Every structure is written in C-alpha cells, then in structure tokens.
Amino acid sequence: MGRLTEGIKHLLIVNVLLFVATALYGEQLYQWLALWYPQNPNFGIWQAVTHMFMHGGLLHILFNMYALWAFGSPLERMWGTNKFLFFYFSAGLGAALIHSGWGYLQVSQGLDALVSAGVPRADILDALAQGKYSPAWMEMAPRDTVDSMINTYMTPAVGASGAIYGILVAFGMMFPNSELFLIFLPIPIKAKYFIPGLILLDLFSGVTGQPIFGQNIANFAHLGGALFGFIMMWYWKKNEFNNNRWDL
C-alpha cells in the first residue's frame, strides 16, 4: 500500500469533493448524477459514470475509499495509472450495466403482474414517472413484486462499490495468498477465499432479497463490477501468456 498513487489520489479527491458538495446541494446533485432507472425522467446516460462518485453517507464513502486505496494501490503500481484507471472505470460501467439489467427485470415483472390484473401499462408508467403509485397495486399483485418494481424505478444507485468489486477481483487474482481480515472476524483469510466468499454473499443477498450487508445495497452492481473485473483480468492474463509463447 504505502503512499498514494496518482490515479487513486485523484479519484479520492473527486469523490471527497462531490461528497461535500452533496452535503450542500444533495437533492439536486442526486437528481443529476446518481444512476436512475433508464425509464425514469431523471435518467441521463452520463450517470453510468457519475454515480461512481456519489455516496449515500459517511460510512459508505469511508469504506469505499479505504478499499480503493488498500486494494487499488498495489494494482496501480504494477499496471501504471492509465491501465489502472481504464480497469476501474470499465468495472464501474459493467456494474452499472448489470445493475440496470437486473432493474429492468424487476420492473418488467411488476408491470406484467399488474397488467395481468387489469391495470393499463401506460397508467402504471405514467404514475411511476410522476413519483407516484397506487396502494391498490399491492392488493392486485404480489406485494414483493410490486415493491421491487417501485423501488427500482424510484431509487437511484450511488457509490463506487461496483468499481471497487472489480478491483477486489483483480487483487485476488494477482495476490491470491495475501491474508485479509474481516472486521467482525479478526482472523486472517487468504484473498483467494475471502473475495469469492464476499461475492457469493452478494449473490445470495441479491437473489433472495435477504440483506446481509445492510438495507438498500445494490448487490447486482457489486456482482457486475466483479464479473467485468474477472473478464478483463482473464483476457489480460490470456494475452500475456500468448505474447510469451514461442510458437506464434
């Protein structure tokens, strides 16, 4: 770890500046920069990037920035700043893509359930676009399905966690025997076990809806960042091997 590398230093500065700005102009900045569901009137394509610099509270940004420094520093030293930043933002964009895809599934299931119950699709979408919903919907379709639809449509995603999960995967693949500690379980666990275990817990929480890491966690953003991080690492390692072969 050691001193701050250039890329991480600049990421930390931008995150902290926007965190302070959010404390002053929270509602407006969330509307512009958080990642909304694509059919929400607040949605903008730039939010796939800007949501990585928004955070929901002090603990949220502290955990993310600590993880960025702790796990990202050795990667940036090894790769250089440009490659590290490419990896970081690619993982973050992958997280946004998977999160939005899961959101589309959630909204589609809610819409289909209500349309089957006789509610016109256009009426549902018009109400959601105005930030409203009908309590009667809960009686006409499974409550969990309708709740998921409403929350997905109306609640934006914020945070660097998706990009951080990509960094975690890269760290685990490059330093598999590094020993890590959980705050609530102070025994050393090797990265090659710790990081897949963390991802499996996110998968369980995302699929079942059981909140392991707390409420309002974008589990599929974490999984998307981890997936894209793994794909990039696999591709880079494969090409690195091929570039060193003698039979090419």
Side-chain angles (χ1 to χ4, degrees):
M1 292 180 279
R3 68 176 181 81
L4 283 177
T5 51
E6 282 301 303
I8 289 176
K9 179 174 71 175
H10 288 97
L11 288 173
L12 290 173
I13 289 170
V14 176
N15 274 280
V16 170
L17 286 176
L18 276 173
F19 183 75
V20 173
T22 301
L24 300 175
Y25 309 104
E27 288 302 318
Q28 192 63 65
L29 282 179
Y30 271 110
Q31 183 175 328
W32 288 343
L33 303 181
L35 178 61
W36 295 86
Y37 181 72
Q39 287 181 291
N40 191 296
N42 291 321
F43 175 76
I45 192 67
W46 61 86
Q47 294 166 0
V49 174
T50 58
H51 83 282
M52 299 182 218
F53 298 99
M54 304 292 289
H55 288 86
L58 184 59
L59 286 179
H60 191 199
I61 190 171
L62 284 177
F63 277 119
N64 277 349
M65 294 305 98
Y66 172 77
L68 173 61
W69 167 71
F71 298 104
S73 296
L75 297 175
E76 185 176 354
R77 289 198 189 91
M78 206 165 43
W79 291 342
T81 298
N82 289 341
K83 186 174 180 178
F84 173 79
L85 290 176
F86 173 82
F87 183 93
Y88 179 85
F89 282 107
S90 296
L93 289 171
L97 180 64
I98 299 299
H99 173 78
S100 297
W102 178 254
Y104 177 79
L105 178 62
Q106 299 290 92
V107 171
S108 294
Q109 288 177 340
L111 286 171
D112 290 345
L114 289 173
V115 169
S116 296
V119 185
R121 183 178 295 264
D123 291 354
I124 303 168
L125 290 173
D126 285 345
L128 291 174
Q130 297 174 51
K132 301 176 182 177
Y133 68 91
S134 171
W137 294 351
M138 306 295 180
E139 308 300 325
M140 303 173 72
R143 177 177 290 270
D144 288 347
T145 301
V146 175
D147 276 342
S148 293
M149 176 191 72
I150 294 168
N151 289 334
T152 297
Y153 193 98
M154 295 185 180
T155 306
V158 294
S161 302
I164 297 297
Y165 265 68
I167 296 297
L168 283 172
V169 168
F171 182 90
M173 293 177 74
M174 297 303 296
F175 308 101
N177 293 314
S178 294
E179 293 186 336
L180 309 175
F181 289 84
L182 290 170
I183 294 173
F184 52 84
L185 185 63
I187 60 173
I189 305 173
K190 290 185 177 180
K192 62 185 178 183
Y193 305 126
F194 176 89
I195 293 168
L198 194 65
I199 293 168
L200 286 174
L201 288 175
D202 260 300
L203 179 60
F204 172 82
S205 188
V207 171
T208 65
Q210 298 298 317
I212 295 174
F213 300 113
Q215 299 290 341
N216 300 320
I217 302 295
N219 299 106
F220 279 89
H222 295 176
L223 294 168
L227 174 63
F228 274 70
F230 174 79
I231 291 171
M232 284 187 287
M233 288 299 296
W234 173 82
Y235 179 78
W236 288 350
K237 279 182 168 289
K238 176 175 177 289
N239 280 358
E240 182 180 56
F241 172 75
N242 285 337
N243 289 337
N244 291 319
R245 285 173 56 182
W246 292 359
D247 60 342
L248 294 181

